[in-house]
Amino acid sequence: MLKLFSTLIIFISIPLLLQAQSVISGRVTDAKKRPLAGVNISIKGSYDGATSAKDGTFSFSSTANGERIITVSLSGYQTLEIKAELGTAQQFNLVLKETVNELKMVTISAGSFEASDEKKNTVLKPLDIVTTAGANADIVSALKTLPGAQQVGEKEGLFVRGGTGYETQTFIDGMMVRNAFFSGMPDFAARGRFSPFLFKGTTFSSGGYSAQYGQGLSSALVLESTDLPERSSYSLGIGSVGPSVGVDILTKDKKKAYGFEADYFNLSPYYKIMKQKQEPTIAPQGTNGSANYRLKTSKTGMLKVFVTGSYQRFGFEGESLEYPGFKEAFELESYNIYTNINYKENLGKGWRMNLGTSYSTNRDRIFMDTINKVPAPTRIKARQDLSQVRLMLTKGLGRFSVLRIGSEYQYGDERSRFNTFDANYVDSYAAGFAEADVYFTPRFVGRFGTRYEYTSVISRSNIAPRASLAYKLDDKSQVAFAYGEFYQKPEQQYLRFTHDLGFMRATHYIASYQRLAQFHTLRAEVFYKKYHDLLKTTPDYNNNGTGYAKGVELFWRDRKSIKNADYWISYSFLDTKRDYLNYPYEVQPDFAAKHTATLVYKHYIPSTQLNLGATYSFATGRPYYNPNRPESEFLKDRTRNLNTLSVNVNYLTSIGKAFTVFVFTMTNVLGNDQEYGFRYSSDKLRRNMVGPMAPRFFYLGMFMSFGIDRRQEQIDRQ
Amino acid sequence: MKQILFSLLMVSGITFAARAQSEQYQQAMTQQVGLLDSASTFTPAGIQQAANTFERIAEAEKTQWLPYYYAAYCRVNEAFFTQDKGKVDEIADKALVNIEKAAALKGKDSEISCILSMIASARIGVDPMTRGMKYGMESGQHLEEAKRMNPENPRVYMLEGQSLLYTPEAFGGSKTKAKEKFEESLKKFAAEKPADKITPHWGEAYTKMLISQIK
């Protein structure tokens, strides 16, 4: 019995006998031998373990023995598992490798400014665009505060690095937009057609952009439409130019959303208060409406349908330059419809499809007359239709690399009638592209692509190679280089008269340095751009034009030094000359300024819930044509320097259940004279200054939203 | 006979070991959860250490939801504490992995929804201007869910109050409303009777601290 008892004791004690303790200790560092604190060291399947101290050391005792797995883990590092024979005291020197996340990865950055909520390593957020003072919620006006863009006030569009506005193309979900701007009158820039709130991402490329896009000699503005909203919302607004209403419904299952927005504007009351340079005969008025439908077709699939339409008309009368004492009349009526359908889905085996189609039509009727003066008035009817379809396939290669292949087809119908004279043409455009982002390492990436294009109107094709490299120097900074060939067909107004032309071409070389810290951004870029085959109009239409642009650009953004404030400074130095159209030789063109600088400042006062913003822009004088000078002094005159300060104030509050924002914005607060250029009469005796319609523009509005806080969107809505 | 005895003994030895194991679990959990009641644990290094310990217990046990729950709770606090905004998302992701494992073992639960709400709130801190709306909403939705499952959960009201307290008034925040929520929460705390020492019961002292901040 005793014997039995002793056996029993032994058996029962077996688990206890095994509890011999041994000490496990060591040190954890990263790959650069820096100690890591807070690391969880554990023996798999047991409670035993420790957390490393500040100097990376750890020590714990364990009863575990035999071959066990030791797990070593810390947020931001790859978990390490090692096999070890336990039972005696052991020392471990452990090294953890950092995980590669988006923030640590290098990105293609040369020449591009990206604003996105989803991606972390971008210079801007979509909100930054809409809250920029003076931009009045116009994407293009906001982008003019970035380096590379010129402060051109008399023509719409982005004039980038010595390029004209025509050389910048706008793309929505990969598809080209034919009329990205409202129709305006000569010498007065019109607004962009699309509200910034339609897009979740905006990429402004000032050169060297991807082979996915074509037909822009200088620049691409790439817009990506929003996905499903967070929840349903309704909004109402009333402002000094008119009312607006919006609805955005998200279904219960969160798979579908649909909505519409509509606004009506009429500047007649505003013009009663603010005198304009010219007499409005029809105050600008019109209406915009848009509807959208978004459907999550599956876990990975998304269908988006977007339709927008607008109608506007206006008329002005001003002093005639040509016939003193007489009046010039200009009236315009315009319709526009833009539709876009986009479908994305995974096809399996790592392939993803992006299929899109778009149709747009724009019709303008223009009436121009010198009142009570022969010749008869000019009546212009213009219509532009563009239909297109685009397919892109992407496939992930390895961990980070991506292959993109795609093709697109566009059918453009351009018609115009000057009184009884018709000038119409159609153009079929086809393109294919292939591009790969190759990550040699997470810190070193190359993008290599090429694009083939054919356009029927001039029966020409081209092959455009593009390449970018980017290398990450450390956690925050990277250097990048880009090279590319870019082709574009001549402008519509010349193609109407001759099809015997070729593509214009530009070659880009860009080197850039970027440091992106949590609260600071610094970017410096140098570029060289060579123009070939630019369109000339003398002696007759030909492609003998040439040009170059080179320069240095700086961007500094600081969100920390001043409490509750965020500011950025852009500076562009541009040295450009070109010989195009009727220029006698290569010369600095009239849309280019040598120095351009912008300060954008935003301040939030929490106690009063005020957002204040100011934008100051400066540009040196631009050349203008003076017919009284000899040809050897062509474009020798300069306008005065441009200085302009715009401010905005937003007051956020809640009225009942509605989030409400009061918005006040004013451009050119100091009333500086804006001199964009001069127009001369044909006898060269008189001239008119080209400038804005009024020295200042102000907007006052109130906006309410129910359900979702969309006030931020309304800030600067005008 | 000997064989029978032997096998009997083996069995008793195994049950003994198993009981030791479950006692070890109770003891370790009680000790660790007890540490969470003391404010000194709530330092960046202290909470990280607690999270590590809970993760070790969770991964050794594999079938208990509470260690995963507490690991997530500590991780999300670590995310709130961290000074390096670039790390918030990674730490929050770790909290999410833990709470998802807890949910897989426990199913839908008011306490788990509270943690999910906290994870969303932690992500706001990275960039309040651009993330406030999206994650603020996500956080609110998890709290609604938590309240639906257990209207008597004091932590729900505490978290609601906290969100009202830290949201700028312009975006729907309100100190007075926050105070009401905290008071409601304290009433629920008074009525709360945790089944044992390791059932989630945290938050009362913290709520009192928050309420004292409101002038």
mmCIF file of all heavy atoms in Angstrom, chain A residues 4 8 11 38 40 42 47 50-51 75-76 101 230-231 254 518 609 708-709 711, chain B residues 5-6 9 25 48-49 52 56 61 85 89-90 94 130 133-134 137 141 169-171:
data_model
loop_
_atom_site.group_PDB
_atom_site.id
_atom_site.type_symbol
_atom_site.label_atom_id
_atom_site.label_comp_id
_atom_site.label_asym_id
_atom_site.label_seq_id
_atom_site.Cartn_x
_atom_site.Cartn_y
_atom_site.Cartn_z
ATOM 1 N N LEU A 4 2.363 1.591 -3.247
ATOM 2 C CA LEU A 4 1.381 2.140 -4.178
ATOM 3 C C LEU A 4 1.274 3.655 -3.977
ATOM 4 O O LEU A 4 1.231 4.442 -4.908
ATOM 5 C CB LEU A 4 0.022 1.475 -3.925
ATOM 6 C CG LEU A 4 -1.102 1.907 -4.861
ATOM 7 C CD1 LEU A 4 -0.846 1.320 -6.256
ATOM 8 C CD2 LEU A 4 -2.440 1.447 -4.340
ATOM 9 N N LEU A 8 1.927 6.705 -6.435
ATOM 10 C CA LEU A 8 0.901 7.717 -6.665
ATOM 11 C C LEU A 8 1.502 9.121 -6.555
ATOM 12 O O LEU A 8 1.283 9.988 -7.398
ATOM 13 C CB LEU A 8 -0.208 7.530 -5.615
ATOM 14 C CG LEU A 8 -1.533 8.183 -5.964
ATOM 15 C CD1 LEU A 8 -2.319 7.221 -6.855
ATOM 16 C CD2 LEU A 8 -2.334 8.479 -4.721
ATOM 17 N N PHE A 11 3.566 9.875 -9.461
ATOM 18 C CA PHE A 11 2.777 10.178 -10.665
ATOM 19 C C PHE A 11 2.146 11.566 -10.609
ATOM 20 O O PHE A 11 2.177 12.330 -11.559
ATOM 21 C CB PHE A 11 1.693 9.112 -10.877
ATOM 22 C CG PHE A 11 2.180 8.018 -11.759
ATOM 23 C CD1 PHE A 11 2.341 6.716 -11.266
ATOM 24 C CD2 PHE A 11 2.492 8.290 -13.086
ATOM 25 C CE1 PHE A 11 2.817 5.713 -12.095
ATOM 26 C CE2 PHE A 11 2.956 7.274 -13.899
ATOM 27 C CZ PHE A 11 3.118 5.979 -13.405
ATOM 28 N N GLY A 38 9.217 47.319 -26.240
ATOM 29 C CA GLY A 38 7.806 46.934 -26.365
ATOM 30 C C GLY A 38 7.577 45.666 -27.159
ATOM 31 O O GLY A 38 6.453 45.310 -27.459
ATOM 32 N N ASN A 40 7.031 41.882 -27.967
ATOM 33 C CA ASN A 40 6.429 40.766 -27.241
ATOM 34 C C ASN A 40 7.205 39.488 -27.562
ATOM 35 O O ASN A 40 7.172 39.004 -28.688
ATOM 36 C CB ASN A 40 4.960 40.630 -27.658
ATOM 37 C CG ASN A 40 4.191 39.716 -26.722
ATOM 38 O OD1 ASN A 40 4.744 39.185 -25.763
ATOM 39 N ND2 ASN A 40 2.907 39.542 -26.997
ATOM 40 N N SER A 42 7.500 35.565 -26.718
ATOM 41 C CA SER A 42 6.726 34.536 -26.017
ATOM 42 C C SER A 42 7.097 33.145 -26.514
ATOM 43 O O SER A 42 7.585 32.973 -27.623
ATOM 44 C CB SER A 42 5.228 34.776 -26.228
ATOM 45 O OG SER A 42 4.912 34.670 -27.597
ATOM 46 N N TYR A 47 2.190 30.667 -21.375
ATOM 47 C CA TYR A 47 1.998 32.047 -20.910
ATOM 48 C C TYR A 47 3.328 32.775 -20.798
ATOM 49 O O TYR A 47 3.367 33.980 -20.629
ATOM 50 C CB TYR A 47 1.353 32.045 -19.514
ATOM 51 C CG TYR A 47 -0.121 31.700 -19.480
ATOM 52 C CD1 TYR A 47 -0.716 30.999 -20.512
ATOM 53 C CD2 TYR A 47 -0.905 32.096 -18.399
ATOM 54 C CE1 TYR A 47 -2.057 30.675 -20.456
ATOM 55 C CE2 TYR A 47 -2.248 31.786 -18.333
ATOM 56 C CZ TYR A 47 -2.833 31.066 -19.363
ATOM 57 O OH TYR A 47 -4.153 30.757 -19.309
ATOM 58 N N ALA A 50 7.912 37.906 -22.215
ATOM 59 C CA ALA A 50 8.248 39.208 -21.652
ATOM 60 C C ALA A 50 8.105 40.282 -22.706
ATOM 61 O O ALA A 50 7.950 39.991 -23.891
ATOM 62 C CB ALA A 50 9.679 39.195 -21.123
ATOM 63 N N THR A 51 8.167 41.513 -22.236
ATOM 64 C CA THR A 51 8.153 42.671 -23.132
ATOM 65 C C THR A 51 9.520 43.329 -23.017
ATOM 66 O O THR A 51 10.004 43.549 -21.904
ATOM 67 C CB THR A 51 7.054 43.653 -22.693
ATOM 68 O OG1 THR A 51 5.788 42.984 -22.801
ATOM 69 C CG2 THR A 51 7.036 44.891 -23.565
ATOM 70 N N SER A 75 4.294 45.778 -33.383
ATOM 71 C CA SER A 75 3.579 46.495 -34.449
ATOM 72 C C SER A 75 4.573 47.181 -35.381
ATOM 73 O O SER A 75 5.482 47.860 -34.923
ATOM 74 C CB SER A 75 2.673 47.582 -33.865
ATOM 75 O OG SER A 75 1.716 47.006 -33.028
ATOM 76 N N GLY A 76 4.379 47.001 -36.652
ATOM 77 C CA GLY A 76 5.242 47.665 -37.618
ATOM 78 C C GLY A 76 6.442 46.825 -38.023
ATOM 79 O O GLY A 76 7.263 47.259 -38.821
ATOM 80 N N ASN A 101 4.799 48.957 -45.317
ATOM 81 C CA ASN A 101 3.437 49.444 -45.519
ATOM 82 C C ASN A 101 3.500 50.594 -46.507
ATOM 83 O O ASN A 101 4.565 51.017 -46.929
ATOM 84 C CB ASN A 101 2.775 49.835 -44.204
ATOM 85 C CG ASN A 101 3.428 51.057 -43.596
ATOM 86 O OD1 ASN A 101 4.255 51.710 -44.219
ATOM 87 N ND2 ASN A 101 3.058 51.367 -42.383
ATOM 88 N N GLU A 230 -20.962 57.508 -46.938
ATOM 89 C CA GLU A 230 -21.024 56.863 -45.624
ATOM 90 C C GLU A 230 -22.467 56.632 -45.193
ATOM 91 O O GLU A 230 -22.793 55.666 -44.534
ATOM 92 C CB GLU A 230 -20.332 57.742 -44.575
ATOM 93 C CG GLU A 230 -18.890 58.061 -44.889
ATOM 94 C CD GLU A 230 -18.001 56.845 -44.772
ATOM 95 O OE1 GLU A 230 -18.260 55.990 -43.904
ATOM 96 O OE2 GLU A 230 -17.051 56.732 -45.561
ATOM 97 N N ARG A 231 -23.320 57.555 -45.542
ATOM 98 C CA ARG A 231 -24.741 57.415 -45.216
ATOM 99 C C ARG A 231 -25.542 58.404 -46.039
ATOM 100 O O ARG A 231 -24.996 59.248 -46.725
ATOM 101 C CB ARG A 231 -24.974 57.625 -43.714
ATOM 102 C CG ARG A 231 -24.790 59.058 -43.252
ATOM 103 C CD ARG A 231 -24.505 59.171 -41.795
ATOM 104 N NE ARG A 231 -25.693 59.057 -40.960
ATOM 105 C CZ ARG A 231 -25.648 59.270 -39.630
ATOM 106 N NH1 ARG A 231 -24.503 59.572 -39.063
ATOM 107 N NH2 ARG A 231 -26.728 59.185 -38.902
ATOM 108 N N LYS A 254 -26.394 49.001 -47.823
ATOM 109 C CA LYS A 254 -25.137 49.707 -48.116
ATOM 110 C C LYS A 254 -24.469 49.216 -49.389
ATOM 111 O O LYS A 254 -23.250 49.205 -49.507
ATOM 112 C CB LYS A 254 -24.170 49.594 -46.936
ATOM 113 C CG LYS A 254 -24.789 50.174 -45.689
ATOM 114 C CD LYS A 254 -23.776 50.557 -44.658
ATOM 115 C CE LYS A 254 -24.463 51.349 -43.563
ATOM 116 N NZ LYS A 254 -23.694 51.613 -42.423
ATOM 117 N N GLN A 518 5.262 64.144 -41.142
ATOM 118 C CA GLN A 518 3.885 64.153 -40.657
ATOM 119 C C GLN A 518 3.226 65.519 -40.829
ATOM 120 O O GLN A 518 2.075 65.614 -41.225
ATOM 121 C CB GLN A 518 3.881 63.753 -39.190
ATOM 122 C CG GLN A 518 2.507 63.378 -38.702
ATOM 123 C CD GLN A 518 2.546 62.968 -37.256
ATOM 124 O OE1 GLN A 518 3.533 62.419 -36.776
ATOM 125 N NE2 GLN A 518 1.491 63.248 -36.538
ATOM 126 N N GLN A 609 -15.278 78.775 -33.742
ATOM 127 C CA GLN A 609 -15.610 77.898 -34.866
ATOM 128 C C GLN A 609 -15.563 78.618 -36.201
ATOM 129 O O GLN A 609 -16.431 78.470 -37.048
ATOM 130 C CB GLN A 609 -16.962 77.254 -34.660
ATOM 131 C CG GLN A 609 -16.876 76.315 -33.495
ATOM 132 C CD GLN A 609 -18.208 75.798 -33.087
ATOM 133 O OE1 GLN A 609 -19.105 75.778 -33.872
ATOM 134 N NE2 GLN A 609 -18.308 75.365 -31.860
ATOM 135 N N ILE A 708 -25.649 63.918 -42.914
ATOM 136 C CA ILE A 708 -24.207 63.769 -42.945
ATOM 137 C C ILE A 708 -23.639 65.169 -42.916
ATOM 138 O O ILE A 708 -24.245 66.090 -43.439
ATOM 139 C CB ILE A 708 -23.782 63.017 -44.220
ATOM 140 C CG1 ILE A 708 -22.329 62.579 -44.153
ATOM 141 C CG2 ILE A 708 -24.009 63.835 -45.439
ATOM 142 C CD1 ILE A 708 -21.944 61.710 -45.347
ATOM 143 N N ASP A 709 -22.526 65.317 -42.271
ATOM 144 C CA ASP A 709 -21.952 66.644 -42.184
ATOM 145 C C ASP A 709 -21.229 66.978 -43.477
ATOM 146 O O ASP A 709 -20.125 66.541 -43.712
ATOM 147 C CB ASP A 709 -20.980 66.694 -41.006
ATOM 148 C CG ASP A 709 -20.534 68.110 -40.742
ATOM 149 O OD1 ASP A 709 -20.882 68.982 -41.558
ATOM 150 O OD2 ASP A 709 -19.859 68.337 -39.743
ATOM 151 N N ARG A 711 -20.817 70.165 -44.478
ATOM 152 C CA ARG A 711 -20.538 71.601 -44.513
ATOM 153 C C ARG A 711 -19.165 71.875 -45.076
ATOM 154 O O ARG A 711 -18.951 72.833 -45.780
ATOM 155 C CB ARG A 711 -20.610 72.168 -43.101
ATOM 156 C CG ARG A 711 -22.017 72.258 -42.612
ATOM 157 C CD ARG A 711 -22.013 72.554 -41.158
ATOM 158 N NE ARG A 711 -21.160 71.613 -40.479
ATOM 159 C CZ ARG A 711 -20.827 71.738 -39.231
ATOM 160 N NH1 ARG A 711 -21.256 72.766 -38.542
ATOM 161 N NH2 ARG A 711 -20.067 70.852 -38.656
ATOM 162 N N LEU B 5 -4.577 0.545 -12.127
ATOM 163 C CA LEU B 5 -4.117 1.625 -11.248
ATOM 164 C C LEU B 5 -3.298 2.654 -12.020
ATOM 165 O O LEU B 5 -3.473 3.861 -11.890
ATOM 166 C CB LEU B 5 -3.232 1.021 -10.143
ATOM 167 C CG LEU B 5 -3.901 0.941 -8.764
ATOM 168 C CD1 LEU B 5 -2.962 0.311 -7.769
ATOM 169 C CD2 LEU B 5 -4.346 2.316 -8.310
ATOM 170 N N PHE B 6 -2.431 2.102 -12.826
ATOM 171 C CA PHE B 6 -1.539 2.971 -13.599
ATOM 172 C C PHE B 6 -2.331 3.953 -14.467
ATOM 173 O O PHE B 6 -2.093 5.150 -14.463
ATOM 174 C CB PHE B 6 -0.616 2.110 -14.463
ATOM 175 C CG PHE B 6 0.386 2.914 -15.222
ATOM 176 C CD1 PHE B 6 1.502 3.419 -14.547
ATOM 177 C CD2 PHE B 6 0.222 3.172 -16.572
ATOM 178 C CE1 PHE B 6 2.429 4.164 -15.240
ATOM 179 C CE2 PHE B 6 1.152 3.917 -17.255
ATOM 180 C CZ PHE B 6 2.265 4.433 -16.594
ATOM 181 N N LEU B 9 -4.068 6.467 -12.457
ATOM 182 C CA LEU B 9 -3.144 7.501 -12.012
ATOM 183 C C LEU B 9 -2.818 8.480 -13.135
ATOM 184 O O LEU B 9 -2.737 9.687 -12.930
ATOM 185 C CB LEU B 9 -1.850 6.853 -11.505
ATOM 186 C CG LEU B 9 -2.017 6.186 -10.137
ATOM 187 C CD1 LEU B 9 -0.766 5.416 -9.797
ATOM 188 C CD2 LEU B 9 -2.305 7.240 -9.092
ATOM 189 N N TYR B 25 -4.967 29.901 -15.726
ATOM 190 C CA TYR B 25 -5.689 30.878 -16.551
ATOM 191 C C TYR B 25 -6.395 31.888 -15.658
ATOM 192 O O TYR B 25 -6.223 33.101 -15.797
ATOM 193 C CB TYR B 25 -6.688 30.152 -17.462
ATOM 194 C CG TYR B 25 -7.655 31.082 -18.165
ATOM 195 C CD1 TYR B 25 -7.207 31.905 -19.205
ATOM 196 C CD2 TYR B 25 -8.994 31.139 -17.784
ATOM 197 C CE1 TYR B 25 -8.083 32.759 -19.846
ATOM 198 C CE2 TYR B 25 -9.881 31.996 -18.433
ATOM 199 C CZ TYR B 25 -9.428 32.807 -19.460
ATOM 200 O OH TYR B 25 -10.285 33.644 -20.083
ATOM 201 N N GLN B 48 1.328 48.740 -23.368
ATOM 202 C CA GLN B 48 1.893 47.850 -24.386
ATOM 203 C C GLN B 48 2.273 46.515 -23.748
ATOM 204 O O GLN B 48 2.014 45.445 -24.305
ATOM 205 C CB GLN B 48 3.134 48.521 -24.981
ATOM 206 C CG GLN B 48 3.662 47.842 -26.226
ATOM 207 C CD GLN B 48 4.866 48.577 -26.795
ATOM 208 O OE1 GLN B 48 5.627 49.201 -26.074
ATOM 209 N NE2 GLN B 48 5.026 48.494 -28.102
ATOM 210 N N GLN B 49 2.843 46.608 -22.561
ATOM 211 C CA GLN B 49 3.236 45.388 -21.835
ATOM 212 C C GLN B 49 1.996 44.562 -21.502
ATOM 213 O O GLN B 49 1.991 43.338 -21.670
ATOM 214 C CB GLN B 49 3.963 45.784 -20.552
ATOM 215 C CG GLN B 49 4.660 44.618 -19.909
ATOM 216 C CD GLN B 49 5.660 45.083 -18.862
ATOM 217 O OE1 GLN B 49 5.893 46.282 -18.702
ATOM 218 N NE2 GLN B 49 6.241 44.140 -18.146
ATOM 219 N N ASN B 52 0.769 42.853 -24.596
ATOM 220 C CA ASN B 52 1.623 41.711 -24.918
ATOM 221 C C ASN B 52 1.263 40.505 -24.059
ATOM 222 O O ASN B 52 1.163 39.380 -24.550
ATOM 223 C CB ASN B 52 3.094 42.068 -24.694
ATOM 224 C CG ASN B 52 3.644 42.976 -25.790
ATOM 225 O OD1 ASN B 52 2.992 43.163 -26.821
ATOM 226 N ND2 ASN B 52 4.815 43.539 -25.583
ATOM 227 N N ARG B 56 -0.216 36.848 -25.161
ATOM 228 C CA ARG B 56 0.431 35.557 -24.869
ATOM 229 C C ARG B 56 -0.579 34.584 -24.285
ATOM 230 O O ARG B 56 -0.643 33.425 -24.686
ATOM 231 C CB ARG B 56 1.595 35.760 -23.886
ATOM 232 C CG ARG B 56 2.822 36.361 -24.523
ATOM 233 C CD ARG B 56 4.064 36.089 -23.708
ATOM 234 N NE ARG B 56 4.037 36.733 -22.396
ATOM 235 C CZ ARG B 56 4.441 37.980 -22.175
ATOM 236 N NH1 ARG B 56 4.914 38.714 -23.169
ATOM 237 N NH2 ARG B 56 4.396 38.498 -20.963
ATOM 238 N N GLU B 61 -4.083 29.914 -24.883
ATOM 239 C CA GLU B 61 -5.388 29.298 -24.600
ATOM 240 C C GLU B 61 -6.132 28.924 -25.882
ATOM 241 O O GLU B 61 -6.676 27.830 -25.995
ATOM 242 C CB GLU B 61 -6.259 30.269 -23.776
ATOM 243 C CG GLU B 61 -5.777 30.448 -22.345
ATOM 244 C CD GLU B 61 -5.951 29.190 -21.508
ATOM 245 O OE1 GLU B 61 -6.757 28.326 -21.873
ATOM 246 O OE2 GLU B 61 -5.256 29.068 -20.472
ATOM 247 N N LYS B 85 2.024 59.342 -35.111
ATOM 248 C CA LYS B 85 0.767 59.128 -35.838
ATOM 249 C C LYS B 85 0.904 58.119 -36.969
ATOM 250 O O LYS B 85 -0.079 57.513 -37.387
ATOM 251 C CB LYS B 85 0.244 60.463 -36.376
ATOM 252 C CG LYS B 85 -0.275 61.312 -35.244
ATOM 253 C CD LYS B 85 -1.063 62.509 -35.727
ATOM 254 C CE LYS B 85 -1.626 63.257 -34.530
ATOM 255 N NZ LYS B 85 -2.291 64.486 -34.886
ATOM 256 N N ASP B 89 -2.320 53.452 -37.180
ATOM 257 C CA ASP B 89 -3.078 52.484 -37.969
ATOM 258 C C ASP B 89 -2.574 51.060 -37.753
ATOM 259 O O ASP B 89 -3.367 50.128 -37.670
ATOM 260 C CB ASP B 89 -3.020 52.843 -39.459
ATOM 261 C CG ASP B 89 -4.075 53.877 -39.821
ATOM 262 O OD1 ASP B 89 -5.169 53.824 -39.234
ATOM 263 O OD2 ASP B 89 -3.804 54.736 -40.677
ATOM 264 N N GLU B 90 -1.253 50.897 -37.656
ATOM 265 C CA GLU B 90 -0.705 49.551 -37.481
ATOM 266 C C GLU B 90 -1.122 48.961 -36.140
ATOM 267 O O GLU B 90 -1.474 47.781 -36.048
ATOM 268 C CB GLU B 90 0.823 49.589 -37.573
ATOM 269 C CG GLU B 90 1.299 49.680 -39.014
ATOM 270 C CD GLU B 90 2.810 49.795 -39.116
ATOM 271 O OE1 GLU B 90 3.458 50.069 -38.103
ATOM 272 O OE2 GLU B 90 3.327 49.615 -40.237
ATOM 273 N N LYS B 94 -3.684 45.783 -35.209
ATOM 274 C CA LYS B 94 -3.420 44.680 -34.275
ATOM 275 C C LYS B 94 -4.588 44.497 -33.315
ATOM 276 O O LYS B 94 -4.983 43.372 -32.993
ATOM 277 C CB LYS B 94 -2.143 44.964 -33.469
ATOM 278 C CG LYS B 94 -0.923 44.275 -34.048
ATOM 279 C CD LYS B 94 0.197 44.189 -33.034
ATOM 280 C CE LYS B 94 1.101 43.009 -33.349
ATOM 281 N NZ LYS B 94 2.266 42.917 -32.487
ATOM 282 N N THR B 130 -9.557 65.066 -42.239
ATOM 283 C CA THR B 130 -10.034 64.266 -43.361
ATOM 284 C C THR B 130 -10.680 62.956 -42.918
ATOM 285 O O THR B 130 -11.466 62.385 -43.641
ATOM 286 C CB THR B 130 -8.878 63.945 -44.328
ATOM 287 O OG1 THR B 130 -7.850 63.324 -43.579
ATOM 288 C CG2 THR B 130 -8.348 65.178 -44.976
ATOM 289 N N MET B 133 -15.049 62.482 -40.386
ATOM 290 C CA MET B 133 -16.399 62.109 -40.766
ATOM 291 C C MET B 133 -16.538 60.600 -40.921
ATOM 292 O O MET B 133 -17.400 59.978 -40.330
ATOM 293 C CB MET B 133 -16.760 62.806 -42.064
ATOM 294 C CG MET B 133 -18.237 62.841 -42.275
ATOM 295 S SD MET B 133 -18.721 64.231 -43.270
ATOM 296 C CE MET B 133 -18.142 63.722 -44.850
ATOM 297 N N LYS B 134 -15.640 60.028 -41.723
ATOM 298 C CA LYS B 134 -15.759 58.604 -42.038
ATOM 299 C C LYS B 134 -15.697 57.737 -40.779
ATOM 300 O O LYS B 134 -16.596 56.954 -40.496
ATOM 301 C CB LYS B 134 -14.641 58.223 -43.004
ATOM 302 C CG LYS B 134 -14.702 56.774 -43.413
ATOM 303 C CD LYS B 134 -13.580 56.407 -44.364
ATOM 304 C CE LYS B 134 -13.602 54.912 -44.602
ATOM 305 N NZ LYS B 134 -12.441 54.441 -45.324
ATOM 306 N N MET B 137 -18.351 58.308 -37.976
ATOM 307 C CA MET B 137 -19.593 57.608 -38.235
ATOM 308 C C MET B 137 -19.487 56.130 -37.914
ATOM 309 O O MET B 137 -20.376 55.545 -37.310
ATOM 310 C CB MET B 137 -19.937 57.749 -39.705
ATOM 311 C CG MET B 137 -20.964 58.793 -39.912
ATOM 312 S SD MET B 137 -21.396 58.730 -41.599
ATOM 313 C CE MET B 137 -21.260 60.390 -41.946
ATOM 314 N N GLN B 141 -21.691 54.012 -35.269
ATOM 315 C CA GLN B 141 -22.518 52.857 -35.635
ATOM 316 C C GLN B 141 -22.234 51.658 -34.726
ATOM 317 O O GLN B 141 -23.150 50.949 -34.326
ATOM 318 C CB GLN B 141 -22.290 52.491 -37.108
ATOM 319 C CG GLN B 141 -23.018 53.439 -38.043
ATOM 320 C CD GLN B 141 -22.478 53.399 -39.469
ATOM 321 O OE1 GLN B 141 -21.477 52.752 -39.749
ATOM 322 N NE2 GLN B 141 -23.146 54.106 -40.378
ATOM 323 N N GLU B 169 -17.624 71.411 -31.330
ATOM 324 C CA GLU B 169 -19.060 71.700 -31.290
ATOM 325 C C GLU B 169 -19.629 71.905 -32.683
ATOM 326 O O GLU B 169 -20.777 71.566 -32.955
ATOM 327 C CB GLU B 169 -19.320 72.937 -30.412
ATOM 328 C CG GLU B 169 -18.862 72.723 -28.984
ATOM 329 C CD GLU B 169 -19.789 73.325 -27.940
ATOM 330 O OE1 GLU B 169 -20.660 74.119 -28.312
ATOM 331 O OE2 GLU B 169 -19.635 72.979 -26.757
ATOM 332 N N ALA B 170 -18.806 72.470 -33.567
ATOM 333 C CA ALA B 170 -19.283 72.733 -34.922
ATOM 334 C C ALA B 170 -19.657 71.443 -35.640
ATOM 335 O O ALA B 170 -20.424 71.442 -36.578
ATOM 336 C CB ALA B 170 -18.197 73.454 -35.709
ATOM 337 N N PHE B 171 -19.085 70.343 -35.184
ATOM 338 C CA PHE B 171 -19.360 69.072 -35.852
ATOM 339 C C PHE B 171 -20.269 68.192 -34.996
ATOM 340 O O PHE B 171 -20.242 66.973 -35.103
ATOM 341 C CB PHE B 171 -18.050 68.353 -36.192
ATOM 342 C CG PHE B 171 -17.225 69.118 -37.176
ATOM 343 C CD1 PHE B 171 -16.219 69.977 -36.757
ATOM 344 C CD2 PHE B 171 -17.488 69.031 -38.531
ATOM 345 C CE1 PHE B 171 -15.483 70.712 -37.673
ATOM 346 C CE2 PHE B 171 -16.755 69.758 -39.449
ATOM 347 C CZ PHE B 171 -15.755 70.601 -39.024
#
